[in-house]
Amino acid sequence: MKILIVGAGAVGFNLAKQLSKEGHDISVIDKDQNMVDRITEKMDVSAVLGMATSPSILEEAGIKNTDVVLAVTNSDEINIVTCILSYKYNVKTKIARIRNPEFSEKKPFVHQNGFHIDYIVNPEMITINSIMDIIGTPGANYVADFKGGDVLLRGFGVPANAPIVGKKLVDLEEIEYTDSFLIVAIQRNDEMIIPSGETEIKPNDNIYVVVAREALPFFLPMVNRRADEVAKVVIYGVNRASLNLAKKLEDRKIGVTIVEPLKEKTEEAASVLDRTIILKGDALDIDLLKESSIHMADFFVAVSENEQSNLLAALLAKRLGAKKAIVLTEDPAFVPIINSLGIDVVINPRLITAGSILQHIRRGDTLSVVKFQQSEAEAMELIASEHSKILGKPLRDVSFPKGAIIGAISQNGVMKLPTGDTIINPGESVIVFALPNAIEKVQTLFSNGKT
């Protein structure tokens, strides 16, 4: 497939890297010479310097033969215009990264007014939903929900005194409710492991669990977590994302305090929030943090535009008594570094955005793609179509790739865990966890057998 990516920042770079590995013909446009040089040095893709709002630049990048355009620059306007121009060149699929909620939350308006955007991805909305899911799942350091909503993916750090420490996965079958969850991956130091029945859980492992939504409260005690009610959240930084987050927390009757150094931004927050306490000042000010009752905070969420301040403020908040700290970082390379400093949750909107885009261009019927922040592994939610190669025989007889595991099968809202005797039927939703070398092979199994 010929894919044109407009914007070579973190989102565009990660998409180009992933899609070129999968064998697609990739072209990239960016107005920054350094970005163009970086992407051509790192991978075998075609890159053009210039503005994608120029038809001549689009034609130089091969727009006339392009199947998919991914407009992922930092400018909503450029992304929208690129999709409009792409329509004129008969591009089949046009995907835009758009932050403005007036567009992303009103899709009929976009489709009915000649914007010609097939799919809109809003990084801020995705980020807010991820933070809300983290707050709603005690102890989780990673969250993802699949399309059906009944099957969840959650990541947990395993404390040394957790009941599952020292147990092999096969031993967990003796525990009640094990038919409602499956550990599909283990992050151990710098290695991502696809476990077998003989894999033993060790202290400080980070485990990724596919679990039925209704079974989550029964799983939490296995990693020494409780479904405690969240009462207070302190947010650092006023911007569109933090204001929307505060509104959602207010709707859940959770106490919110926002710390912001700039007076005009505190006034903006005061004009749109009803029950949030707003403090003007720096989150690196110990006295101000104490004034915010940081020792009572269940979560400290650092989402300001200053990433260094976010990290330092989160470390200080933890030291002053905040139970958990969530830090937002735009650079994917910083994720493992920040994790190593003791921050509970690191969220990278650009990686989440890349996953949201991939689901629209993968082969087969892909409902969801979840990118992992410390590796290139993925969790995919795939629909078994009528001619998928995986159908019609027990899984033990399927040549399933090494480095991948089926986490769950869902149909009509009912989740079941796979066994060797399981036969996948047309229309079932299958959640697969895969390391990078297995992703393409998994897609092949679910693609139309006639192609």
Side-chain angles (χ1 to χ4, degrees):
M1 190 165 17
K2 170 70 174 172
I3 300 173
L4 173 58
I5 300 172
V6 178
V11 174
F13 184 89
N14 279 283
L15 286 169
K17 182 179 179 182
Q18 181 66 56
L19 293 169
S20 62
K21 281 183 181 179
E22 295 176 12
H24 298 289
D25 181 5
I26 306 298
S27 296
V28 179
I29 297 174
D30 200 281
K31 63 180 181 179
D32 187 322
Q33 183 69 61
N34 292 328
M35 292 291 193
V36 170
D37 293 342
R38 175 173 176 257
I39 206 162
T40 52
E41 288 170 5
K42 296 287 186 180
M43 60 191 83
D44 184 20
V45 302
S46 170
V48 175
L49 177 66
M51 293 289 290
T53 51
S54 163
S56 62
I57 293 295
L58 287 171
E59 290 182 13
E60 184 181 348
I63 188 71
K64 291 181 179 179
N65 301 312
T66 292
D67 302 296
V68 178
V69 164
L70 308 178
V72 294
T73 74
N74 287 325
S75 166
D76 287 359
E77 293 77 14
I78 290 175
N79 295 340
I80 291 170
V81 171
T82 298
C83 289
I84 293 172
L85 290 173
S86 299
Y87 171 78
K88 301 297 183 182
Y89 285 101
N90 299 313
V91 175
K92 183 179 179 181
T93 304
K94 301 158 291 295
I95 301 173
R97 172 191 184 190
I98 297 180
R99 290 185 172 88
N100 190 334
E102 290 189 33
F103 290 97
S104 57
E105 294 177 5
K106 298 177 181 178
K107 294 179 183 177
F109 173 84
V110 173
H111 292 301
Q112 293 167 12
N113 288 275
F115 289 97
H116 304 296
I117 302 172
D118 298 295
Y119 303 105
I120 290 175
V121 177
N122 184 326
E124 290 178 359
M125 191 181 302
I126 296 169
T127 299
I128 292 165
N129 290 339
S130 294
I131 294 173
M132 291 299 294
D133 285 340
I134 287 284
I135 290 172
T137 308
N141 55 25
Y142 186 87
V143 298
D145 292 352
F146 296 104
K147 284 288 185 182
D150 299 304
V151 182
L152 312 176
L153 177 65
R154 296 291 185 262
F156 296 93
V158 180
N161 60 349
I164 62 171
V165 167
K167 292 186 181 294
K168 296 179 179 178
L169 264 59
V170 70
D171 298 333
L172 299 180
E173 295 176 4
E174 303 169 5
I175 301 173
E176 193 175 3
Y177 295 105
T178 52
D179 60 343
S180 298
F181 74 86
L182 182 68
I183 297 173
V184 294
I186 299 172
Q187 181 88 40
R188 185 170 291 161
N189 299 320
D190 295 327
E191 183 183 8
M192 184 71 85
I193 300 167
I194 298 291
S196 68
E198 294 300 309
T199 302
E200 181 179 316
I201 305 295
K202 297 184 177 181
N204 302 315
D205 277 350
N206 202 63
I207 61 172
Y208 294 94
V209 184
V210 172
V211 58
R213 182 180 293 275
E214 68 273 9
L216 183 60
F218 302 103
F219 174 81
L220 292 175
M222 297 184 196
V223 285
N224 268 5
R225 310 297 182 190
R226 297 183 306 168
D228 295 330
E229 184 176 343
V230 174
K232 181 177 179 61
V233 175
V234 176
I235 300 173
Y236 174 42
V238 169
N239 47 45
R240 190 158 55 198
S242 66
L243 292 178
N244 284 327
L245 175 62
K247 287 177 186 177
K248 285 182 177 288
L249 292 169
E250 284 185 344
D251 290 343
R252 290 197 185 181
K253 304 298 189 291
I254 294 173
V256 187
T257 298
I258 288 184
V259 176
E260 165 58 51
L262 299 178
K263 181 181 178 181
E264 59 269 26
K265 287 193 174 185
T266 61
E267 292 172 348
E268 178 189 0
S271 69
V272 297
L273 298 172
D274 297 324
R275 296 183 298 277
T276 296
I277 298 170
I278 301 163
L279 299 177
K280 179 184 175 300
D282 196 324
L284 296 177
D285 182 334
I286 293 177
D287 291 333
L288 185 69
L289 279 181
K290 288 181 177 178
E291 184 183 344
S292 75
S293 301
I294 192 68
H295 66 286
M296 298 174 60
D298 298 289
F299 285 91
F300 178 83
V301 184
V303 292
S304 81
E305 275 79 15
N306 188 321
E307 298 204 3
Q308 291 181 334
S309 293
N310 285 345
L311 175 57
L312 293 174
L315 292 171
L316 182 58
K318 290 271 289 183
R319 188 178 183 88
L320 294 174
K323 294 185 180 70
K324 299 286 181 183
I326 299 174
V327 170
L328 193 74
T329 177
E330 293 290 340
D331 192 335
F334 288 165
V335 173
I337 298 170
I338 296 173
N339 272 323
S340 70
L341 296 174
I343 298 300
D344 301 286
V345 182
V346 184
I347 292 181
N348 181 261
R350 294 177 178 179
L351 284 180
I352 301 173
T353 301
S356 297
I357 291 171
L358 284 172
Q359 73 191 48
H360 298 301
I361 53 180
R362 284 282 173 76
R363 288 193 289 139
D365 295 322
T366 305
L367 295 181
S368 308
V369 175
V370 177
K371 300 288 288 183
F372 285 81
Q373 307 205 88
Q374 293 191 62
S375 79
E376 295 181 356
E378 290 183 6
M380 298 171 279
E381 184 178 14
L382 304 155
I383 293 292
S385 61
E386 186 178 350
H387 300 290
S388 295
K389 299 171 185 176
I390 200 169
L391 300 180
K393 52 187 173 182
L395 287 178
R396 67 164 53 90
D397 297 330
V398 175
S399 182
F400 208 70
K402 184 178 180 182
I405 183 174
I406 294 179
I409 301 167
S410 178
Q411 188 168 44
N412 299 323
V414 178
M415 171 182 159
K416 61 181 179 181
L417 298 183
T419 68
D421 295 323
T422 299
I423 296 175
I424 294 175
N425 301 304
E428 289 184 326
S429 168
V430 183
I431 294 169
V432 181
F433 183 93
L435 298 179
N437 63 324
I439 292 171
E440 177 69 12
K441 295 173 184 175
V442 169
Q443 290 181 68
T444 299
L445 283 173
F446 283 85
S447 64
N448 193 316
K450 291 184 175 181
T451 59

